[in-house]
Amino acid sequence: MKRTNKNNSFRQAEAFPLIARCIERAPIDMLGFVDHATIVTAILADPELDAKGDRWFASNMLQWFSQKITVGNSVWVEFFDREARAGGWAYRSKAWNHPQDLGAIKGDPQSPPPRELGRVS
């Protein structure tokens, strides 16, 4: 995914699946959640997201991802539980309680679609 211009914009349709992948791959806490700062670090480490070391940009991408869930305009609500924490939302894969669904969420083409979470597109 490339930034659409030098004003640090991005295409949500391209970025959000990559952000979801970052959430899935980031280290979790004892309750299975990944906090905002950890997700931002994962975004910065993902070459496909093209954050180029810009922490503000990576955080802004995650904030847009969160905002779409908050207003009910995101398919990702089917895939993640959220918990408000200091510094932003923490995310936990709904597959955390259903490990058999985790491969499909992570994009493994050999995994069957998640049973309870809807279709992965």
Side-chain angles (χ1 to χ4, degrees), residues 62-101:
L62 180 55
Q63 289 167 2
W64 274 109
F65 181 88
S66 295
Q67 187 269 351
K68 291 295 185 180
I69 292 173
T70 299
V71 299
N73 188 18
S74 175
V75 299
W76 299 107
V77 71
E78 297 179 35
F79 299 95
F80 297 104
D81 294 322
R82 295 191 312 163
E83 178 178 279
R85 294 192 179 172
W89 290 100
Y91 286 85
R92 176 176 65 197
S93 171
K94 289 192 179 189
W96 190 69
N97 291 320
H98 305 281
Q100 66 274 16
D101 295 334

Coordinates of all heavy atoms in Angstrom, one line a residue, residues 62-101:
L62 N -4.5 3.9 12.6 CA -5.2 3.0 13.6 C -6.4 3.8 14.2 O -7.5 3.2 14.4 CB -4.2 2.6 14.7 CG -4.8 1.8 15.8 CD1 -5.5 0.5 15.3 CD2 -3.8 1.4 16.8
Q63 N -6.3 5.1 14.3 CA -7.4 5.8 14.8 C -8.6 5.8 13.8 O -9.8 5.8 14.2 CB -7.0 7.3 15.2 CG -6.1 7.3 16.4 CD -5.4 8.7 16.6 OE1 -5.6 9.6 15.8 NE2 -4.6 8.8 17.6
W64 N -8.3 5.9 12.6 CA -9.3 5.8 11.5 C -10.0 4.4 11.5 O -11.2 4.3 11.4 CB -8.8 6.2 10.2 CG -8.8 7.6 9.9 CD1 -7.8 8.5 9.8 CD2 -10.0 8.4 9.7 NE1 -8.2 9.8 9.6 CE2 -9.6 9.8 9.5 CE3 -11.4 8.2 9.7 CZ2 -10.5 10.8 9.3 CZ3 -12.3 9.2 9.4 CH2 -11.8 10.5 9.3
F65 N -9.1 3.4 11.7 CA -9.6 2.0 11.8 C -10.6 1.9 12.9 O -11.7 1.4 12.8 CB -8.4 1.1 12.0 CG -8.8 -0.4 12.1 CD1 -8.8 -1.1 11.0 CD2 -8.9 -1.0 13.3 CE1 -9.1 -2.5 11.0 CE2 -9.2 -2.3 13.4 CZ -9.3 -3.1 12.3
S66 N -10.2 2.5 14.1 CA -11.1 2.5 15.3 C -12.4 3.3 15.1 O -13.4 2.9 15.5 CB -10.3 3.0 16.5 OG -9.2 2.2 16.8
Q67 N -12.2 4.5 14.5 CA -13.4 5.4 14.3 C -14.4 4.7 13.5 O -15.6 4.8 13.8 CB -12.9 6.7 13.6 CG -14.0 7.7 13.5 CD -14.8 7.7 12.2 OE1 -14.5 7.0 11.3 NE2 -15.8 8.4 12.2
K68 N -14.1 4.0 12.4 CA -15.0 3.3 11.6 C -15.8 2.2 12.4 O -17.0 2.0 12.2 CB -14.4 2.7 10.4 CG -13.9 3.7 9.4 CD -15.0 4.5 8.8 CE -14.5 5.5 7.7 NZ -15.6 6.2 7.1
I69 N -15.1 1.6 13.3 CA -15.8 0.6 14.1 C -16.8 1.3 15.1 O -17.9 0.9 15.3 CB -14.8 -0.3 14.9 CG1 -14.0 -1.2 13.9 CG2 -15.5 -1.1 16.0 CD1 -12.9 -2.0 14.5
T70 N -16.3 2.4 15.7 CA -17.1 3.1 16.6 C -18.4 3.6 16.0 O -19.5 3.5 16.7 CB -16.3 4.4 17.2 OG1 -15.2 3.9 17.9 CG2 -17.2 5.2 18.1
V71 N -18.4 4.1 14.8 CA -19.6 4.6 14.1 C -20.4 3.5 13.4 O -21.4 3.8 12.8 CB -19.3 5.8 13.2 CG1 -18.6 6.9 13.9 CG2 -18.5 5.3 12.0
G72 N -20.0 2.3 13.6 CA -20.7 1.2 13.0 C -20.6 1.0 11.5 O -21.5 0.5 10.8
N73 N -19.5 1.5 10.9 CA -19.3 1.4 9.5 C -18.0 0.6 9.2 O -17.1 1.1 8.4 CB -19.1 2.9 9.0 CG -19.1 3.0 7.5 OD1 -19.5 2.0 6.8 ND2 -18.6 4.1 6.9
S74 N -17.9 -0.6 9.7 CA -16.7 -1.4 9.5 C -17.0 -2.9 9.6 O -17.7 -3.3 10.5 CB -15.6 -1.0 10.5 OG -14.5 -1.9 10.4
V75 N -16.5 -3.6 8.6 CA -16.7 -5.1 8.7 C -15.8 -5.6 9.8 O -16.1 -6.8 10.3 CB -16.3 -5.7 7.4 CG1 -17.3 -5.3 6.3 CG2 -14.9 -5.5 7.0
W76 N -14.8 -4.9 10.3 CA -13.9 -5.4 11.3 C -14.5 -5.6 12.6 O -13.9 -6.3 13.5 CB -12.6 -4.5 11.3 CG -12.0 -4.5 10.0 CD1 -11.9 -3.5 9.1 CD2 -11.3 -5.6 9.4 NE1 -11.3 -3.9 7.9 CE2 -10.9 -5.2 8.1 CE3 -11.0 -6.9 9.8 CZ2 -10.2 -6.1 7.2 CZ3 -10.3 -7.8 8.9 CH2 -9.9 -7.3 7.7
V77 N -15.7 -5.0 12.9 CA -16.4 -5.2 14.2 C -16.7 -6.7 14.4 O -16.7 -7.2 15.5 CB -17.6 -4.4 14.3 CG1 -18.7 -4.9 13.3 CG2 -18.1 -4.3 15.7
E78 N -16.8 -7.5 13.3 CA -17.1 -8.9 13.3 C -15.8 -9.7 13.8 O -16.0 -10.8 14.2 CB -17.5 -9.4 12.0 CG -18.8 -8.8 11.5 CD -19.2 -9.4 10.1 OE1 -19.0 -10.6 9.9 OE2 -19.8 -8.6 9.3
F79 N -14.7 -9.1 13.7 CA -13.4 -9.8 13.9 C -12.7 -9.5 15.2 O -11.9 -10.3 15.7 CB -12.5 -9.6 12.7 CG -13.0 -10.1 11.4 CD1 -13.6 -9.2 10.6 CD2 -12.9 -11.4 11.1 CE1 -14.2 -9.6 9.4 CE2 -13.4 -11.8 9.9 CZ -14.0 -10.9 9.0
F80 N -13.1 -8.4 15.8 CA -12.3 -7.9 17.0 C -13.3 -7.5 18.1 O -14.3 -6.8 17.9 CB -11.4 -6.7 16.7 CG -10.4 -7.1 15.7 CD1 -10.4 -6.7 14.4 CD2 -9.3 -7.8 16.1 CE1 -9.5 -7.0 13.4 CE2 -8.3 -8.1 15.1 CZ -8.4 -7.7 13.8
D81 N -12.9 -7.8 19.3 CA -13.4 -7.2 20.5 C -12.6 -6.0 20.9 O -11.4 -6.0 20.5 CB -13.4 -8.2 21.7 CG -14.3 -9.4 21.5 OD1 -15.4 -9.3 21.0 OD2 -13.8 -10.5 21.9
R82 N -13.2 -5.0 21.5 CA -12.4 -3.8 21.8 C -12.6 -3.5 23.3 O -13.6 -3.8 23.9 CB -12.8 -2.6 21.0 CG -12.6 -2.7 19.6 CD -12.7 -1.4 18.8 NE -14.0 -0.7 19.1 CZ -14.2 0.6 18.9 NH1 -13.2 1.3 18.3 NH2 -15.3 1.2 19.1
E83 N -11.6 -2.9 23.8 CA -11.7 -2.4 25.2 C -11.0 -1.0 25.3 O -9.9 -0.9 24.8 CB -10.9 -3.4 26.1 CG -10.9 -3.1 27.6 CD -10.2 -4.2 28.4 OE1 -10.8 -5.2 28.7 OE2 -9.0 -4.0 28.7
A84 N -11.7 -0.1 25.9 CA -11.2 1.3 26.0 C -10.1 1.2 27.1 O -10.3 0.7 28.2 CB -12.2 2.3 26.4
R85 N -8.9 1.7 26.7 CA -7.8 1.8 27.7 C -7.1 3.2 27.5 O -7.4 3.9 26.5 CB -6.8 0.7 27.4 CG -7.3 -0.7 27.6 CD -6.1 -1.7 27.6 NE -6.6 -3.0 27.8 CZ -5.9 -4.1 27.7 NH1 -4.6 -4.0 27.3 NH2 -6.4 -5.3 28.0
A86 N -6.3 3.5 28.5 CA -5.6 4.8 28.4 C -4.7 4.7 27.1 O -4.1 3.7 26.8 CB -4.6 4.9 29.6
G87 N -4.8 5.8 26.3 CA -4.1 5.8 25.1 C -4.8 5.3 23.9 O -4.3 5.3 22.8
G88 N -6.0 4.8 24.0 CA -6.8 4.4 22.9 C -7.4 3.0 23.1 O -7.4 2.5 24.2
W89 N -7.9 2.4 22.0 CA -8.6 1.1 22.1 C -7.6 0.0 22.1 O -6.6 0.1 21.4 CB -9.5 0.9 20.9 CG -10.7 1.8 21.0 CD1 -10.9 3.0 20.3 CD2 -11.9 1.6 21.7 NE1 -12.2 3.5 20.6 CE2 -12.8 2.7 21.4 CE3 -12.3 0.6 22.6 CZ2 -14.1 2.8 22.0 CZ3 -13.6 0.7 23.2 CH2 -14.4 1.8 22.9
A90 N -7.8 -1.0 22.9 CA -7.1 -2.3 22.8 C -8.0 -3.3 22.0 O -9.2 -3.2 22.2 CB -6.8 -2.8 24.2
Y91 N -7.4 -4.1 21.2 CA -8.1 -5.1 20.4 C -7.8 -6.5 20.7 O -6.7 -6.8 21.1 CB -7.8 -4.8 18.9 CG -8.4 -3.6 18.4 CD1 -7.8 -2.4 18.5 CD2 -9.6 -3.7 17.7 CE1 -8.4 -1.2 18.0 CE2 -10.2 -2.5 17.2 CZ -9.6 -1.3 17.4 OH -10.2 -0.2 16.9
R92 N -8.8 -7.3 20.6 CA -8.6 -8.8 20.8 C -9.4 -9.5 19.7 O -10.5 -9.2 19.4 CB -9.1 -9.2 22.2 CG -9.0 -10.8 22.4 CD -9.5 -11.2 23.7 NE -10.9 -10.9 23.9 CZ -11.4 -10.9 25.1 NH1 -10.7 -11.2 26.2 NH2 -12.7 -10.6 25.3
S93 N -8.7 -10.4 19.1 CA -9.4 -11.2 18.0 C -10.5 -12.0 18.6 O -10.4 -12.6 19.7 CB -8.4 -12.2 17.4 OG -9.0 -13.1 16.6
K94 N -11.7 -12.0 18.0 CA -12.8 -12.8 18.4 C -12.4 -14.3 18.3 O -13.0 -15.1 19.0 CB -14.0 -12.5 17.6 CG -14.6 -11.1 18.1 CD -16.0 -10.9 17.5 CE -16.4 -9.5 18.0 NZ -17.8 -9.2 17.8
A95 N -11.4 -14.6 17.4 CA -11.0 -15.9 17.3 C -10.1 -16.4 18.5 O -9.8 -17.5 18.6 CB -10.2 -16.1 16.0
W96 N -9.8 -15.4 19.4 CA -9.0 -15.8 20.6 C -9.7 -16.8 21.4 O -9.1 -17.7 21.9 CB -8.8 -14.5 21.4 CG -7.8 -14.7 22.5 CD1 -6.5 -14.9 22.4 CD2 -8.1 -14.7 23.9 NE1 -5.9 -15.0 23.7 CE2 -6.9 -14.9 24.6 CE3 -9.3 -14.5 24.7 CZ2 -6.8 -14.9 26.0 CZ3 -9.2 -14.5 26.1 CH2 -8.0 -14.7 26.7
N97 N -11.1 -16.8 21.4 CA -11.9 -17.8 22.1 C -12.2 -18.9 21.1 O -12.8 -19.9 21.5 CB -13.1 -17.2 22.6 CG -12.8 -16.2 23.8 OD1 -12.0 -16.5 24.6 ND2 -13.5 -15.1 23.8
H98 N -11.9 -18.8 19.8 CA -12.2 -19.8 18.8 C -11.0 -20.0 17.9 O -11.0 -19.5 16.8 CB -13.4 -19.4 18.0 CG -14.6 -19.1 18.8 ND1 -15.4 -20.0 19.3 CD2 -15.1 -17.9 19.2 CE1 -16.4 -19.5 19.9 NE2 -16.3 -18.2 19.9
P99 N -9.9 -20.6 18.4 CA -8.7 -20.7 17.7 C -8.8 -21.3 16.3 O -8.0 -21.0 15.4 CB -7.7 -21.5 18.6 CG -8.5 -21.8 19.8 CD -9.9 -21.3 19.7
Q100 N -9.8 -22.1 16.1 CA -9.9 -22.7 14.8 C -10.2 -21.7 13.7 O -10.0 -22.0 12.5 CB -11.0 -23.8 14.8 CG -12.4 -23.3 15.1 CD -12.8 -23.1 16.5 OE1 -12.0 -23.1 17.4 NE2 -14.1 -23.0 16.8
D101 N -10.7 -20.5 14.1 CA -11.0 -19.5 13.1 C -9.8 -18.5 12.8 O -9.9 -17.7 11.9 CB -12.2 -18.6 13.6 CG -13.5 -19.4 13.7 OD1 -13.6 -20.4 13.0 OD2 -14.3 -19.0 14.5

